[in-house]
Amino acid sequence: MKKSLLSISLALAASPVLAANYSIDSRIDAMGGAGTAAANYLSAGFHNPALVAMEPESAFGVLFPVVGVQFRDPDELIDALNDFGDVYQRFETDPTNDSNRTAAANALRGLQNKNGYVSGGIGGAIAIPTSTISGNFFVKGYTEAVVMPEVDDGDIDNIENPVLDPNGDYTLNSKGRVLAFGVVDVGLALAGNIDILGQRIALGVTPKSQKFYTYHYEVSVQSFDDSQWDNDANQTDESAFNVDLGAAWQTGPFRVGFAAKNLVSHEIKTVNYTREYTYHIEPLYTLGGAFITDLFVATIDVDLNKQKRFSAPSGPAIKDDTQLIRLGTEFNAWGWAQLRAGYINDLEDTLDGALTLGVGLSPFNTIHFDVAAQLIDSNSYGGSLQLAFTF
């Protein structure tokens, strides 16, 4: 694990912007994140409020904690940014040295058109299924950060062809930048079943309060320090109300789910340095299908629209929009142990495809421990774990 990725992830986990998808759920994470039709009543508030009512005979349950972190840094950008300052300092000390010039120019050129992504979350829920109205009270937090340097081509030219003056001004215009967003949701998912022409349809709604945070860290590229991105001076915050809707229909082992999340749009402005960014909270519509039996589950989720994130009126385009297709499966050893696998594909090509794996243990169907891992490449990976109790 790279030291710089670790420091950012620890900052994510220590910040107040933890529990979005914006969700962490180890069982569904291991199944590619496909929870719109396949999530259980304990995690229904994270995925589809209608699923709270799909198991009315289930027991009272508690899900806590669920914790997860994900890194995506295929080009080792964050380490390169942290190390650039030392390389550039050697050049500033002796700009007439050919080796110093070459090393500094190559190091700066190596930062061009590279992005790194880190996210983390935590959550918990209490669920009470009944034969009338079922409820799931949940709290979740989530933070995601994109690291995106902006390299000025003129800086590279100046390094390769410096004014031959050891005391000259070699200040760079290139920037090191981190944009981060966080949300804390506190919600109550309520759902019930209706009968239409002999078919059971569950309908659910989640009113929720939200606390949004943005972080905008901008510094000259040679001064980049990944431990400084979440300073209070870089933060904005805003409180809001929102609502999720969901529906689910089941016949035999086949289930179809639909979720509409964050139906009230919001825009949150970042701190304005040389540029101001806007984070967009907009509705996300997801359709899911699942084949569910006691021993086997197969499921798929498709986002029907892309999820927009940061934008700016000027400057380089930010590649952080996503629209995901998620596939997952679960093999259940008679309620005592589970093996899970899945795959995530981004139609926007922002994120590389990811293989997901996981295991679960549920002795006596009372204690449930789940672990998930996400495998992308040697510098991009993630994991989550959770504990739940049903009574």
Side-chain angles (χ1 to χ4, degrees):
M1 181 180 295
K2 299 295 185 181
K3 65 181 185 301
S4 52
L5 278 175
L6 178 60
S7 67
I8 287 185
S9 67
L10 291 175
L12 288 172
S15 69
V17 288
L18 297 172
N21 70 333
Y22 306 130
S23 292
I24 303 295
D25 171 5
S26 298
R27 174 178 176 261
I28 295 301
D29 288 350
M31 300 165 64
T36 304
N40 59 31
Y41 70 102
L42 272 175
S43 62
F46 300 162
H47 304 283
N48 180 353
L51 299 181
V52 182
M54 292 304 290
E55 304 169 65
E57 305 304 320
S58 297
F60 167 77
V62 176
L63 172 64
F64 185 80
V66 51
V67 181
V69 175
Q70 181 187 99
F71 315 103
R72 290 177 181 262
D73 190 18
D75 301 307
E76 300 187 67
L77 168 66
I78 301 173
D79 278 343
L81 265 172
N82 280 308
D83 294 341
F84 178 78
D86 292 336
V87 176
Y88 194 71
Q89 186 176 36
R90 288 193 292 271
F91 163 76
E92 287 186 300
T93 300
D94 185 4
T96 64
N97 183 286
D98 289 342
S99 296
N100 290 348
R101 289 204 305 270
T102 299
N106 288 342
L108 187 57
R109 188 178 287 112
L111 303 178
Q112 287 182 309
N113 304 314
K114 303 289 196 318
N115 288 334
Y117 305 89
V118 186
S119 61
I122 189 169
I126 298 173
I128 306 175
T130 72
S131 58
T132 53
I133 299 297
S134 298
N136 180 303
F137 174 78
F138 65 87
V139 178
K140 61 174 182 173
Y142 182 87
T143 301
E144 58 186 14
V146 55
V147 183
M148 41 178 291
E150 296 177 15
V151 175
D152 188 321
D153 289 333
D155 288 342
I156 298 175
D157 292 338
N158 290 338
I159 292 171
E160 293 181 323
N161 303 285
V163 177
L164 297 182
D165 178 3
N167 299 314
D169 183 4
Y170 300 106
T171 302
L172 295 177
N173 294 317
S174 299
K175 303 294 184 184
R177 192 184 307 276
V178 177
L179 292 174
F181 167 78
V183 58
V184 174
D185 282 1
V186 179
L188 177 62
L190 298 171
N193 291 289
I194 62 174
D195 188 283
I196 300 179
L197 300 177
Q199 300 294 317
R200 179 167 73 113
I201 298 176
L203 300 175
V205 60
T206 302
K208 58 187 180 181
S209 67
Q210 295 183 304
K211 183 79 170 182
F212 303 124
Y213 299 81
T214 71
Y215 290 89
H216 180 197
Y217 171 55
E218 178 188 303
V219 68
S220 182
V221 67
Q222 74 267 29
S223 301
F224 183 87
D225 180 352
D226 65 15
S227 67
Q228 300 299 312
W229 71 271
D230 61 340
N231 286 347
D232 289 345
N234 301 325
Q235 177 188 309
T236 67
D237 59 77
E238 180 179 320
S239 298
F241 169 82
N242 223 313
V243 63
D244 301 339
L245 297 177
W249 166 70
Q250 183 160 352
T251 178
F254 297 98
R255 183 186 294 176
V256 176
F258 172 78
K261 299 178 183 176
N262 294 320
L263 291 178
V264 181
S265 297
H266 297 280
E267 293 185 350
I268 304 96
K269 303 290 186 180
T270 69
V271 172
N272 188 357
Y273 290 116
T274 58
R275 189 178 304 121
E276 183 182 62
Y277 292 84
T278 301
Y279 193 92
H280 303 266
I281 300 292
E282 296 180 346
L284 177 66
Y285 305 101
T286 304
L287 182 66
F291 178 83
I292 300 173
T293 69
D294 290 340
L295 301 180
F296 176 74
V297 175
T299 185
I300 181 173
D301 272 13
V302 179
D303 288 345
L304 303 181
N305 62 304
K306 72 178 180 180
Q307 189 168 8
K308 186 176 181 181
R309 289 178 166 81
F310 282 105
S311 68
S314 62
I318 305 171
K319 189 173 177 59
D320 65 350
D321 294 350
T322 59
Q323 185 173 358
L324 304 180
I325 297 177
R326 311 171 188 86
L327 302 168
T329 188
E330 176 183 67
F331 298 90
N332 191 343
W334 298 279
W336 284 78
Q338 298 78 36
L339 293 176
R340 305 177 181 114
Y343 187 78
I344 305 170
N345 182 57
D346 182 9
L347 298 178
E348 292 291 310
D349 291 328
T350 297
L351 304 177
D352 293 333
L355 175 68
T356 62
L357 300 168
V359 297
L361 299 173
S362 47
F364 306 104
N365 201 33
T366 299
I367 301 173
H368 308 265
F369 179 70
D370 300 294
V371 177
Q374 191 173 100
L375 309 176
I376 306 162
D377 59 46
S378 60
N379 293 302
S380 303
Y381 39 82
S384 64
L385 58 86
Q386 68 186 29
L387 184 65
F389 303 89
T390 53
F391 305 96

